[in-house]
């Protein structure tokens, strides 16, 4: 099977799985079940992204560092309210330690990985410049900044849906602005780490995965916005 065909077939499976998941989340008689299996969706996303790929050892190590570091950040944040604001996790993300779902670090790595790849793809569309230190520095700044903006864009769609799906809830049912600022700053930190240590060849499944997830949450947001 050629790479093009493999990506097309994988994307079809991605669309089918998220389509079923979306229906399951929106239908009242299946919603509770699909909320409970949310961690399986994250594991599927990782499997989709890396099936047939051979990530370099540095990517695996960097991913592990980001997963552990982001879990600790989330644990400190949820227990103190000092980073993102005051929030509590629900039951949808599965087993927890320190009031923080164990799988949350994997989700951070997944999103950082995807937004890094997408940012590099966007940079490749910019007309080529003469190679040199300045160009290399500009490229790094662009990837870190664009990747972090994509993370915040994702979170804008994620937050309303997450509260509806028992992932987490905010004090007063309002997402504070500091949450998005913290998302950007920690995303920039993790993107810098990836840029320095953990990049590899472009994974062409990153963009469809990221896009499908954003659409998934956007549809859920719209559904509850229009619901009586």
């Amino acid at each position: 099977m050629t790479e093009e065909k493999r990506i097309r077939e994988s994307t079809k499976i991605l669309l089918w799985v998220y389509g079923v998941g979306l229906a399951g989340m929106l239908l009242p008689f299946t919603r509770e079940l699909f909320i409970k299996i949310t961690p399986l969706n994250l594991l599927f996303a990782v499997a989709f992204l890396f099936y047939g790929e051979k990530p370099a050892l540095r990517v695996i190590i960097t991913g592990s560092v980001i997963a552990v570091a982001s879990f600790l950040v989330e644990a400190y944040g949820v227990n103190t309210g000092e980073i993102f604001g005051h929030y509590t996790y629900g039951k949808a993300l599965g087993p927890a330690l320190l009031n923080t779902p164990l799988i949350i670090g994997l989700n951070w790595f997944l999103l950082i990985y995807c937004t890094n790849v997408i940012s590099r793809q966007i940079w490749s569309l910019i007309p080529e410049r003469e190679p040199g230190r300045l160009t290399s520095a500009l490229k790094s700044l662009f990837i870190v900044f664009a990747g972090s903006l994509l993370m915040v864009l994702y979170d804008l769609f994620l937050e309303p849906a997450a509260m509806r799906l028992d992932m987490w809830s905010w004090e007063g049912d309002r997402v504070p602005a500091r949450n998005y600022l913290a998302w950007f700053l920690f995303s920039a930190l993790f993107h810098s780490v990836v840029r320095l240590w953990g990049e590899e060849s472009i994974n062409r499944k990153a963009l469809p995965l990221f896009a499908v997830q954003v659409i998934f949450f956007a549809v859920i947001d719209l559904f509850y916005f229009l619901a009586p």
Side-chain angles (χ1 to χ4, degrees):
M1 183 182 296
T2 64
E3 182 181 6
E4 290 289 339
K5 186 174 181 181
R6 179 171 61 84
I7 292 174
R8 283 199 305 269
E9 293 300 316
S10 297
T11 303
K12 288 179 183 178
I13 296 173
L14 176 74
L15 292 171
W16 183 84
V17 169
Y18 273 85
V20 172
L22 183 60
M25 290 292 192
L26 296 181
L27 294 173
F29 55 89
T30 57
R31 185 176 301 135
E32 185 175 347
L33 170 63
F34 275 78
I35 287 175
K36 288 181 179 179
I37 63 175
T38 296
L40 295 180
N41 175 56
L42 287 175
L43 295 176
F44 165 78
V46 174
F48 165 82
L49 192 61
F50 291 108
Y51 178 76
E53 308 290 334
K54 294 181 179 179
L57 178 60
R58 65 180 182 276
V59 175
I60 297 173
I61 294 174
T62 303
S64 300
V65 170
I66 290 174
V68 172
S70 59
F71 174 85
L72 294 175
V73 168
E74 291 277 359
Y76 181 81
V78 76
N79 284 287
T80 65
E82 294 182 0
I83 298 179
F84 305 99
H86 294 279
Y87 66 106
T88 55
Y89 280 105
K91 297 180 180 179
L93 295 178
L97 176 66
L98 302 175
N99 300 314
T100 307
L102 294 172
I103 206 168
I104 201 71
L106 180 63
N107 189 55
W108 267 95
F109 165 64
L110 182 73
L111 292 174
I112 292 292
Y113 182 95
C114 288
T115 51
N116 168 268
V117 170
I118 296 168
S119 299
R120 286 191 286 150
Q121 289 176 309
I122 296 172
W123 175 265
S124 70
L125 301 175
I126 300 174
E128 292 186 9
R129 298 177 176 85
E130 290 295 326
R133 291 184 178 179
L134 179 59
T135 300
S136 179
L138 286 173
K139 180 179 180 180
S140 294
L141 286 173
F142 176 85
I143 291 171
V144 170
F145 184 76
S148 301
L149 283 181
L150 286 171
M151 289 287 290
V152 174
L153 174 66
Y154 181 96
D155 195 41
L156 286 170
F157 289 100
L158 170 62
E159 292 294 345
M163 289 188 282
R164 293 286 188 176
L165 303 178
D166 196 31
M167 294 182 183
W168 56 79
S169 58
W170 290 94
E171 186 178 64
D173 292 328
R174 296 185 63 181
V175 185
R178 65 188 290 188
N179 169 69
Y180 300 111
L181 176 60
W183 257 73
F184 181 87
L185 293 176
F186 279 104
S187 295
L189 173 63
F190 294 144
H191 270 294
S192 298
V193 171
V194 170
R195 182 70 185 152
L196 289 171
W197 297 344
E199 286 183 347
E200 59 177 352
S201 59
I202 295 293
N203 185 331
R204 292 170 57 194
K205 291 184 285 187
L207 177 57
L209 176 60
F210 184 82
V212 166
Q213 286 196 346
V214 169
I215 293 170
F216 176 86
F217 291 122
V219 172
I220 291 176
D221 294 342
L222 182 62
F223 174 83
Y224 282 108
F225 178 77
L226 296 176

